[in-house]
Amino acid sequence: MKDRFGREIDYLRVSVTDNCNLRCVYCMDEKDNKFLKKDEKLTDDEIYRVVKESAKLGIKKVRITGGEPLVRPGVVDLIGKINSIEGIEEIYLTTNGILLADRLDELVKNGLKGVNISLDSLKEDRFNKLTRLGHVDNVLAAIDKAISLGIKVKLNTVIVNDINKDEIMDFVNLTKEKEIDVRFIELMPIGIAINYKGVANEEVLNIIRRKASDFEEVVRNQSGGPATYIRLNGAKGKVGFISAMSNCFCEDCNRIRLTPEGFLKQCLHFDYGVDLKSILREGVNDEKLKEVIYNNIYDKPEKHLFLEDSEHKELKFMNQIGG
Ligand code: SAM
Ligand code: SF4
């Protein structure tokens, strides 16, 4: 369906939990994080119903995210159930990769088309510092296994000043030998991230230009997503740039988000949306549920205002919204 600005909205990001097995420094506090209780989160059946009605409105692609989606019990089956909904053509997962390797066979069997794995450092000591809890070998093993299973694999990397700028070329060079796209994602000033300084993608690209002699032309993004891409000469994968801060892609935005507590969110930046959990638990029928979703999608704001003040600015942390 189209929203009031004529954008085709066909992509739903479903965050299935705010909990996580890591504590990345720009995403969560180290201690005293308050997580939703089980009954505060949508059940599998409630998520299924929301996706089913959304599919009737034209949602074709679903991404499961979090928090860390793989810490939610039963998520592998939930992915299979969502994949079976009429109209859903593609289902993807965004994960930190820590628990991924062991689940991949079943995920692929259940219809998973691809995986975005977040990884900000290839060095064990730094990875452990950045995530406060993780070991990079688990993630690297998951990347190789996902490639071997033939699904689409993208790495999402956030470059933060004074932390991992020196690893930009290490990430770029991964695309030479591996069938993966590496995408640099600009840090957004959400939640605890306001305490960190991201590196603009223009600077990342300049570093690549200086250091990669076999740099090849920009390949325009064919998939309709927000990334723009380049490719090193002869490389198997591409290098992408998702520049939400320096280059707003809102006019092509095709997505809405469902938070773990059942709030259908129109835009990452705003607290606008609708509380679907309440109406689901009041016994709403499918027709009415579809109408509520329709109205919410239709009303999607024109663009984010990260760089401006707004009384409706989202104050939650990224793990609570769903990245
Ligand atoms: N736990 C999963 C993971 O790490 O992939 C899924 C959720 S996580 C919130 C999704 C993505 O959001 C990660 O790639 C993470 O680096 C990114 N992220 C978290 N906080 C961010 C911020 N303030 N700005 C930009 N990206 C952020
Ligand atoms: Fe967890 Fe992902 Fe946030 Fe890291 S970025 S703390 S892995 S939700």
Side-chain angles (χ1 to χ4, degrees):
M1 67 166 278
K2 286 196 187 335
D3 73 356
R4 68 196 154 118
F5 297 103
R7 294 172 295 197
E8 191 68 44
I9 309 299
D10 58 8
Y11 178 20
L12 173 64
R13 295 175 72 102
V14 178
S15 174
V16 293
T17 183
D18 57 340
N19 210 331
C20 187
N21 47 356
L22 300 182
R23 297 283 182 274
C24 299
V25 292
Y26 56 78
C27 181
M28 287 171 76
D29 275 321
E30 181 168 15
K31 292 192 184 124
D32 303 327
N33 293 286
K34 283 205 177 63
F35 297 114
L36 295 167
K37 297 194 201 82
K38 186 165 182 236
D39 67 341
E40 291 173 318
K41 288 183 259 196
L42 291 190
T43 63
D44 288 359
D45 287 346
E46 288 167 338
I47 293 174
Y48 178 81
R49 277 192 72 193
V50 173
V51 180
K52 188 157 75 80
E53 295 314 309
S54 304
K56 290 180 191 163
L57 292 167
I59 294 295
K60 297 188 175 77
K61 172 174 162 184
V62 173
R63 176 172 299 282
I64 304 296
T65 181
E68 173 48 39
L70 295 180
V71 303
R72 177 171 168 132
V75 71
V76 176
D77 292 340
L78 177 62
I79 285 172
K81 264 182 92 181
I82 292 175
N83 186 52
S84 70
I85 292 172
E86 198 182 327
I88 297 302
E89 295 172 3
E90 295 172 301
I91 185 155
Y92 296 94
L93 177 71
T94 294
T95 170
N96 59 34
I98 297 287
L99 299 173
L100 182 62
D102 286 347
R103 316 267 171 96
L104 265 169
D105 288 319
E106 218 182 331
L107 282 165
V108 172
K109 204 170 81 200
N110 285 359
L112 193 76
K113 287 274 183 310
V115 68
N116 286 7
I117 300 175
S118 305
L119 181 60
D120 299 332
S121 178
L122 298 165
K123 301 178 199 280
E124 169 65 12
D125 53 341
R126 187 179 286 173
F127 180 83
N128 189 260
K129 236 188 219 165
L130 258 165
T131 63
R132 296 189 179 112
L133 291 171
H135 297 291
V136 74
D137 281 353
N138 296 326
V139 188
L140 298 176
I143 293 169
D144 286 339
K145 177 146 186 200
I147 294 170
S148 74
L149 290 175
I151 58 171
K152 281 188 214 163
V153 183
K154 294 179 184 169
L155 288 199
N156 287 344
T157 301
V158 177
I159 301 293
V160 185
N161 230 13
D162 301 328
I163 297 189
N164 56 352
K165 219 160 121 178
D166 58 334
E167 288 191 68
I168 290 172
M169 285 314 294
D170 296 339
F171 278 105
V172 169
N173 287 333
L174 286 179
T175 64
K176 286 184 181 168
E177 300 300 331
K178 292 186 194 287
E179 296 273 354
I180 51 171
D181 289 348
V182 169
R183 290 123 41 97
F184 293 102
I185 302 194
E186 284 181 338
L187 188 74
M188 294 177 282
I190 289 180
I192 202 166
I194 56 171
N195 300 326
Y196 291 86
K197 195 168 174 305
V199 176
N201 270 339
E202 201 184 333
E203 187 179 343
V204 175
L205 184 57
N206 281 337
I207 290 172
I208 299 171
R209 277 205 183 100
R210 278 202 305 276
K211 301 207 171 169
S213 50
D214 53 354
F215 184 80
E216 209 193 290
E217 275 312 294
V218 172
V219 188
R220 221 8 248 175
N221 176 27
Q222 299 101 347
S223 66
T228 54
Y229 285 97
I230 61 167
R231 191 192 286 274
L232 295 186
N233 264 328
K236 288 190 173 165
K238 303 193 289 301
V239 178
F241 303 88
I242 301 188
S243 315
M245 298 307 299
S246 59
N247 188 9
C248 156
F249 37 76
C250 305
E251 74 186 45
D252 294 324
C253 186
N254 63 345
R255 63 192 60 185
I256 48 165
R257 295 165 188 270
L258 183 65
T259 70
E261 71 269 56
F263 192 75
L264 191 65
K265 238 174 113 56
Q266 301 162 330
C267 169
L268 193 58
H269 170 251
F270 292 105
D271 61 5
Y272 299 147
V274 59
D275 173 11
L276 293 182
K277 183 176 67 189
S278 296
I279 64 163
L280 281 162
R281 293 186 185 175
E282 280 159 12
V284 69
N285 65 30
D286 286 349
E287 201 47 43
K288 180 69 191 166
L289 177 61
K290 189 173 77 176
E291 184 188 321
V292 172
I293 296 171
Y294 175 91
N295 288 336
N296 194 55
I297 295 179
Y298 186 77
D299 255 353
K300 197 173 144 64
E302 187 176 12
K303 58 180 180 175
H304 75 63
L305 298 170
F306 277 125
L307 301 172
E308 297 160 42
D309 277 335
S310 152
E311 60 177 312
H312 287 287
K313 207 167 187 157
E314 179 57 78
L315 296 176
K316 290 194 165 123
F317 285 19
M318 201 65 168
N319 68 299
Q320 298 170 312
I321 306 167

